[in-house]
Amino acid sequence: MPLGKPPAHPRRDLAALIVPLGRTLMAAEQPILQRHGIAMWAYAVLLALDSGDEPVRTQAALAQAIGADKTRIISVLDDLQERGLIRREPDPEDRRARVLAITPSGRKLRHAVQTEIQAQEERALARLPAHDRAAFLRTLETLTDMEPAEWQR
Amino acid sequence: MPLGKPPAHPRRDLAALIVPLGRTLMAAEQPILQRHGIAMWAYAVLLALDSGDEPVRTQAALAQAIGADKTRIISVLDDLQERGLIRREPDPEDRRARVLAITPSGRKLRHAVQTEIQAQEERALARLPAHDRAAFLRTLETLTDMEPAEWQR
DNA sequence: TATTGTTATACTCTATAACTATA
DNA sequence: TATAGTTATAGAGTATAACAATA
């Protein structure tokens, strides 16, 4: 059987691999989020507020941290606050700003959702050789935490 | 110095790592694509048409292959055809369908763009230990090629 | 009647600009 | 005057529905 000519480039572009995978992963999370009555951006907010020990001091900082526009998260914060999942109070030291913090029930929800999401991920990752799995996750964290400018030169 | 309590989950969610990385990679490609006067979806079309040896037999099949809606790629195909980068002709065996194929100049453009994109990627990947780099790319291809359903159970 | 491609339309998501309240 | 947050608006991107040509 003839093989045809080999491709000029031995591998696909990184973006062509990663972007579709990201879409698939988001779609796979959707049913879990829905069961818990929380949207993707709201979950991202809970994750961001529950990662450090100190509360976030401005909404703009939170928006940037999760890669969203500051105007985009307002309705998300309204909803989370109304449901008692976050606290949002004027900063005594600068009353223009709103200090944000997760509440105990917000933390509980985040934990329940994340446990399900990661359990689902683990079932898929289980197909990988243990060594590849570890190297993949480690490398992925490194690449994600690189500055955007590092990719542009 | 106190360490604070460790996070309940030892790693971030896969989607929370991969989606932002995808956004960064797409942004990093943008200047290259712009220099060559081609948009992201158009580049995706050229990649898809240049990966196999046989032409693609319907536009719907192409759309699905690149994760787009069939109505979304029409203007993209119009433009590529007008610029002589693809051929689009009625299928003699079913004149409802349009057979798509890349042209020599389309292939040339795809190669020029891809060479620059991957060279840029390589400079970033060069920071990684060679062994991690190989494991990462290999694993990434495996995960990207998994069926969406495999992520949902 | 069903399917391919196309066009027109509606909807969602996101960003921009204008406004308020504090500083 | 400048900044954090908010609201209103506009724009891009995407999907849905209706249509023409062919099977």
Side-chain angles (χ1 to χ4, degrees):
Chain A
M1 187 204 289
L3 286 171
K5 48 174 185 277
H9 293 273
R11 65 167 175 87
R12 281 175 275 178
D13 302 344
L14 273 186
L17 291 164
I18 285 179
V19 172
L21 178 56
R23 273 201 282 262
T24 299
L25 288 171
M26 278 178 53
E29 285 187 7
Q30 210 58 61
I32 297 173
L33 293 168
Q34 209 153 353
R35 273 200 298 279
H36 289 274
I38 192 170
M40 184 78 70
W41 282 116
Y43 177 59
V45 167
L46 293 185
L47 283 178
L49 293 183
D50 203 14
S51 57
D53 283 316
E54 326 80 28
V56 174
R57 301 214 75 81
T58 76
Q59 295 182 185
L62 171 65
Q64 185 174 14
I66 65 176
D69 193 273
K70 66 171 180 172
T71 64
R72 220 160 77 200
I73 63 170
I74 290 180
S75 61
V76 176
L77 298 178
D78 288 346
D79 181 57
L80 288 173
Q81 183 179 20
E82 218 166 284
R83 294 166 63 184
L85 301 170
I86 65 169
R87 282 187 302 106
R88 173 162 63 155
E89 293 156 2
D91 185 342
E93 293 176 14
D94 181 349
R95 294 167 39 82
R96 293 173 302 182
R98 305 278 175 274
V99 179
L100 302 168
I102 195 166
T103 64
S105 64
R107 184 170 285 117
K108 200 168 155 186
L109 176 58
R110 188 231 94 213
H111 183 268
V113 172
Q114 190 164 30
T115 298
E116 281 192 44
I117 285 176
Q118 295 205 3
Q120 194 178 62
E121 291 173 353
E122 285 301 324
R123 285 191 284 276
L125 293 175
R127 302 157 193 278
L128 302 174
H131 191 268
D132 279 7
R133 182 188 168 289
F136 175 76
L137 290 173
R138 175 163 24 92
T139 304
L140 182 57
E141 297 220 4
T142 302
L143 296 178
T144 298
D145 292 338
M146 276 174 50
E147 290 298 318
E150 312 254 23
W151 289 100
Q152 295 208 27
R153 55 175 44 235
Chain B
M1 187 205 290
L3 286 172
K5 49 174 181 284
H9 293 274
R11 65 167 174 88
R12 282 175 273 178
D13 302 344
L14 272 187
L17 291 164
I18 285 180
V19 172
L21 178 56
R23 273 202 281 261
T24 300
L25 288 171
M26 278 178 53
E29 286 187 6
Q30 211 57 61
I32 297 173
L33 292 169
Q34 209 152 351
R35 273 201 298 278
H36 289 274
I38 192 169
M40 185 76 72
W41 281 116
Y43 177 59
V45 167
L46 293 185
L47 283 177
L49 293 183
D50 203 14
S51 57
D53 283 318
E54 326 79 28
V56 174
R57 301 215 73 82
T58 75
Q59 295 182 185
L62 172 65
Q64 186 175 14
I66 64 176
D69 193 273
K70 64 170 180 170
T71 63
R72 221 162 74 200
I73 62 170
I74 289 178
S75 62
V76 176
L77 297 178
D78 288 345
D79 181 57
L80 288 173
Q81 183 179 18
E82 219 167 282
R83 294 166 62 183
L85 301 171
I86 64 169
R87 282 187 302 107
R88 175 162 62 156
E89 293 156 2
D91 184 341
E93 293 176 15
D94 181 349
R95 294 169 39 84
R96 292 173 303 184
R98 304 278 176 273
V99 180
L100 302 168
I102 195 168
T103 64
S105 65
R107 184 170 286 117
K108 200 169 155 186
L109 175 59
R110 188 230 93 215
H111 184 269
V113 172
Q114 191 165 27
T115 299
E116 281 191 44
I117 285 176
Q118 295 205 1
Q120 194 178 59
E121 290 173 354
E122 286 301 324
R123 285 191 284 276
L125 292 174
R127 302 157 194 278
L128 302 173
H131 191 268
D132 279 7
R133 181 188 170 289
F136 176 76
L137 290 174
R138 174 163 24 93
T139 304
L140 182 56
E141 296 221 3
T142 302
L143 296 178
T144 299
D145 291 338
M146 276 174 50
E147 291 297 318
E150 312 254 24
W151 289 99
Q152 295 207 29
R153 54 176 43 234

